Structures are given as structure tokens and as C-alpha cells.
Amino acid sequence: MKNIKQKSKELTPAFYMTIVSIIQSFALGFLLTSIGDSAARLLHTNLIAFVGWFQAAAVFQVIVMTWHVNVQHATIFARVYDVADSYIPFLFAIPEYSMIVCIKSGNVHWWFLWMALLVAMTFWAFLDNYVDTQKEPENAEVFAKLRLYRVGILAYLGSGAALFLLMGLFTPAGTSMQLLLAGIVNVMLVIFTFAHHFFCWRRVISD
């Protein structure tokens, strides 16, 4: 049985990342074609067009970071993947594709709500990863290097999901305010990117 468990740790990440890569590739293709289909609305210099571009930029960042964080976690942690890990990459496609549909239709209200759901699912994915990987003794050194990062990133994701939910529930009618809120979403995604890079990845790979 030990051999099967070890084999699972060694082989499953490759299969997992194949699924993640396929889903995110399709999401990127759908985003690009949707931008093309929305050219009549986006190829302008008005605020409505800027809101659409901010939304597209945020979804692009989500797609890239979904792949990026998954491949880094698969590299960093030794783990036995369970049934939740089979659902997570497929479920991520639902809010991603829905946000792209909202860009195409110009629906800012639902775009914020789908973004809130995606960040909440990211919280779940991180928590599931930490719970599973903490069971494996070979991850002890990694957890020692991460220190308070795990708590910090979960708090950031949880507060982000709550904030985006409020943005969706109380989306302002004014385009300028919608642009401001979409800009805040982009800034928070960039902060997440740099936080993960410097406080997780760089710490783990340092000697």
C-alpha cells in the first residue's frame, strides 16, 4: 500500500496539471473570441469600453494565475489527491466562463458576483491543499518556510471574496464607479500574484 501511495504522489500531479492546462486553454480561447465578438463595444475610448477592458484584463490574470499557482503547488507539495481535487479544476471553469459571458453581454453586476464565487472557490482550493499536504511528513520543511503565509493568503482570499460579493450586490449604476471597482479587482489580483510569488514560491525555493 505504501508503494501505491508513493506512486500516487509521483504520478497524479502530471495528470492533474494536464486537466488544469486544458481547461485554462479553453478559457483563454473563449476570452479572446469574446473580445473579438465585442469589438463594436470595446474599440472605443469611452468609459464603457474601459470597463470591458478592465474586466477582460482581470479574467486574463485569473486564467494565468490559476495555471501558475497550480503548477507551483504541484511542484512544492507532496500529496495524495482526493475526490475534491477532481472537482476543483472543473468547477473553476464555471465562474471563469460566466465572467467572460458577462464581458460579452456588458453585465457588470453579475461579473462581480461570478468573480466573488471564483475567489471563494480559490479559498476552498487553498484550504483543501493545505489540509491534505499537512498530512504528509515530507512537507514539513515547506510549511516551516511558509510560516504565516498560509493564514495570510486565506484571510486575503476570504476578504476578497466578501468584497467582490458586496461589489456585485451593490453595483453602482454610474460607469465611472464601475470602472473604479473593476480597477480595484485588477489591483487585488496583482497583489495576490506578487504575494504568492515572494512569500510562497521565493521562500520555498531559497536555500
Side-chain angles (χ1 to χ4, degrees):
M1 294 300 291
K2 288 184 177 179
N3 290 337
I4 296 175
K5 185 176 182 180
Q6 187 60 35
K7 189 175 181 180
S8 173
K9 292 179 184 179
E10 294 172 355
L11 296 181
T12 309
F15 294 112
Y16 187 82
M17 283 312 305
T18 299
I19 294 299
V20 171
S21 299
I22 291 171
I23 294 171
Q24 298 312 310
S25 295
F26 276 113
L28 178 59
F30 185 40
L31 174 63
L32 295 177
T33 56
S34 296
I35 290 173
D37 293 340
S38 307
R41 180 170 55 89
L42 295 178
L43 295 181
H44 294 281
T45 55
N46 54 39
L47 292 180
I48 294 176
F50 287 142
V51 170
W53 283 114
F54 271 37
Q55 289 175 296
V59 175
F60 176 77
Q61 181 71 359
V62 164
I63 292 170
V64 173
M65 289 310 298
T66 299
W67 183 88
H68 183 72
V69 171
N70 271 287
V71 76
Q72 288 189 337
H73 279 180
T75 304
I76 292 171
F77 297 107
R79 64 182 299 194
V80 176
Y81 288 74
D82 56 24
V83 67
D85 300 301
S86 294
Y87 280 99
I88 287 172
F90 291 101
L91 289 175
F92 261 67
I94 297 173
E96 286 181 344
Y97 278 68
S98 298
M99 283 191 292
I100 296 169
V101 170
C102 289
I103 296 172
K104 195 173 181 178
S105 63
N107 192 323
V108 180
H109 162 69
W110 273 100
W111 185 85
F112 284 125
L113 292 177
W114 285 116
M115 179 63 80
L117 178 60
L118 182 134
V119 176
M121 289 174 58
T122 304
F123 175 94
W124 169 42
F126 268 70
L127 183 61
D128 177 72
N129 176 66
Y130 291 147
V131 169
D132 287 347
T133 55
Q134 200 160 15
K135 300 173 184 176
E136 309 302 330
E138 53 263 62
N139 294 318
E141 184 179 354
V142 172
F143 281 123
K145 288 188 175 183
L146 291 179
R147 298 192 289 276
L148 293 177
Y149 170 78
R150 290 178 295 163
V151 176
I153 201 64
L154 289 174
Y156 187 77
L157 291 169
S159 59
L163 177 60
F164 298 158
L165 177 62
L166 290 175
M167 289 181 180
L169 294 176
F170 304 101
T171 306
T175 308
S176 58
M177 283 301 299
Q178 292 177 0
L179 180 63
L180 175 62
L181 295 182
I184 291 173
V185 172
N186 276 274
V187 170
M188 291 187 68
L189 290 173
V190 171
I191 291 173
F192 168 82
T193 301
F194 280 93
H196 180 79
H197 177 76
F198 287 105
F199 299 115
C200 178
W201 181 250
R202 296 300 300 177
R203 278 183 180 177
V204 171
I205 65 173
S206 64
D207 295 329

